[in-house]
Amino acid sequence: MKTATTSSSSSPSSSDLRARLSVCLVFVILGATQGGWMARIPAIRGAVGLDVSEWGLMSSSSAAGDLVAIVLITALIGRVSTRLLSLSAAALILLNAPLLAGASTVPALVTGLTLWGVAATFLATPVNALAVAVERRYGRPLLSSFHSAYSCGVLAGGALGTLAAATGVSPGVQMAVSSGILGTLLLVSAGWLPDEEIRKERRRSVRQRFTPQLILLASIAFLASFVEGAASQWSSVYTADYLGEGSALGATTYTCFSVAILVQRLLGDRFVARLGQRAFVRLSLLTVALGTALVLVRPGLPLALAGFTVVGLGIACVLPAAIGLAGQQPGVPPGEGVSVITIGQWPGFLLAGPAVGLLAGAADLRLALVMLIVSALGAAVLAGRVRE
């Protein structure tokens, strides 16, 4: 069964368009702050005075914030206005970004990273619930386009960070300028955000949210997040170190993967409308397995570039599709359904890097990347049991 198209035949109203733009802006805020931060890591690490190993330890501080955010959002979603939750988290991200980028001491860095983890993970559930609300207004798939806004934000933030670094602008000033611009736009469009109607009689306990279908979707989200996290962290390392091609071509491999994700997210809604969500998710996961097989079948630069590009095309829209399905579960408010996906996907991203690294250390990286094929095929099997 494909997504309903009750209103797709008519043009969206001006209020629907404003709602869509405002939700896109929140996704852009999340992506742009992350991209701007990632581009300036070398300068920030130098300002704090940490070596590579110390930086790796300190940067894990955001994981503690992630866990706090998951507990908070699980308790609040469905009980507090979704619009208010989104605006609060977006505001915290914008206020914290220049403070984090301007950190010059370890305590300031740890505090900023923890707040970043809290705000970014807290925002993920309500903003996706708002995206589901807009999708319902339009009567056609839109989740992938919202996630493409996030990807565009990451690229724009990274480009701004690169420009700032080239012109000698400090990370703190760079993030203050971008936060000021994005914050102004958020204030202007705050009233355009849709909201989820809260009814006391349909509130569920946290345990009641974990229906068989939502557990199934959360499991798919976990495996998809594992694949995306592993490919993000290890694609460049595979080319640069395992293949011995150097850091420039390693960065090129990661760029191919990232651009493929953006392109597919721009197109993904059309495929979902044609195929239906379940078939699209299964096809996407099989594409991930094919792409990884290309990378591993014969180690070499051409296949590495092509393979990770195919992996990006495959994995790009799995999470948006799972979120869309979770937000449409009968009898479950969208925010509560999406919160289950958030709980499922977080450990996938968290465990991906260390799991591949441990296996690579015990054997080699090529064997470790087989985990991507196993995860993708396992998720594809689970997707066959999803009901639309």
Side-chain angles (χ1 to χ4, degrees):
M1 174 177 155
K2 297 182 182 180
T3 303
T5 56
T6 55
S7 62
S8 58
S9 58
S10 58
S11 299
S13 67
S14 58
S15 63
D16 292 341
L17 181 58
R18 288 194 298 269
R20 185 177 182 181
L21 290 173
S22 61
V23 176
C24 278
L25 174 62
V26 179
F27 276 96
V28 168
I29 287 171
L30 183 57
T33 49
Q34 181 174 347
W37 155 259
M38 295 290 286
R40 302 309 303 272
I41 282 178
I44 298 167
R45 182 168 67 87
V48 179
L50 298 176
D51 61 27
V52 174
S53 60
E54 290 171 335
W55 177 264
L57 181 62
M58 292 301 103
S59 63
S60 65
S61 305
S62 61
D66 293 339
L67 184 57
V68 171
I70 288 174
V71 173
L72 287 174
I73 198 61
T74 301
L76 294 175
I77 197 73
R79 290 161 173 77
V80 179
S81 162
T82 312
R83 177 194 292 164
L84 178 60
L85 293 174
S86 296
L87 289 173
S88 300
L92 180 56
I93 285 175
L94 293 173
L95 290 171
N96 179 62
L99 300 176
L100 171 59
S104 58
T105 64
V106 170
L109 177 67
V110 170
T111 300
L113 285 170
T114 303
L115 286 175
W116 161 257
V118 169
T121 304
F122 190 93
L123 179 58
T125 294
V127 74
N128 277 294
L130 295 183
V132 170
V134 175
E135 185 177 72
R136 286 182 170 181
R137 287 191 185 187
Y138 274 71
R140 56 185 172 87
L142 289 177
L143 261 293
S144 292
S145 68
F146 286 117
H147 284 252
S148 74
Y150 165 80
S151 297
C152 288
V154 172
L155 291 175
L160 180 60
T162 301
L163 177 63
T167 55
V169 176
S170 70
V173 171
Q174 169 208 324
M175 297 303 287
V177 171
S178 63
S179 287
I181 294 171
L182 293 170
T184 300
L185 293 174
L186 184 64
L187 285 173
V188 171
S189 63
W192 301 351
L193 287 169
D195 206 357
E196 184 178 344
E197 184 181 357
I198 298 174
R199 297 178 183 173
K200 291 183 178 180
E201 66 272 14
R202 70 177 186 180
R203 289 179 180 172
R204 291 168 171 255
S205 67
V206 173
R207 181 179 299 178
Q208 289 174 323
R209 294 179 197 174
F210 286 83
T211 65
Q213 278 292 297
L214 283 173
I215 292 173
L216 187 62
L217 290 169
S219 300
I220 294 170
F222 170 82
L223 293 170
S225 298
F226 184 93
V227 169
E228 185 173 346
S232 296
Q233 296 178 54
W234 290 99
S235 56
S236 61
V237 176
Y238 177 80
T239 299
D241 295 345
Y242 187 83
L243 298 181
E245 297 289 350
S247 59
L249 288 173
T252 301
T253 306
Y254 173 73
T255 300
C256 289
F257 171 74
S258 300
V259 171
I261 286 180
L262 173 58
V263 170
Q264 181 66 346
R265 284 177 176 173
L266 290 169
L267 301 173
D269 291 325
R270 299 178 186 180
F271 292 118
V272 172
R274 282 175 175 263
L275 300 174
Q277 290 159 310
R278 179 176 61 187
F280 175 74
V281 168
R282 295 190 76 186
L283 179 61
S284 296
L285 290 163
L286 292 175
T287 301
V288 170
L290 173 63
T292 309
L294 283 175
V295 172
L296 303 180
V297 65
R298 183 180 294 176
L301 180 61
L303 285 180
L305 293 173
F308 279 112
T309 299
V310 173
V311 171
L313 292 173
I315 202 61
C317 299
V318 175
L319 275 175
I323 289 167
L325 286 164
Q328 298 164 8
Q329 293 299 301
V332 181
E336 295 185 6
V338 173
S339 71
V340 177
I341 301 299
T342 301
I343 294 171
Q345 74 177 79
W346 175 69
F349 280 115
L350 185 66
L351 295 174
V356 172
L358 286 172
L359 185 53
D364 70 7
L365 183 54
R366 187 182 178 198
L367 176 62
L369 290 176
V370 173
M371 297 172 72
L372 275 67
I373 297 178
V374 174
S375 298
L377 292 178
V381 171
L382 294 178
R385 301 174 60 189
V386 170
R387 292 195 306 269
E388 292 193 57

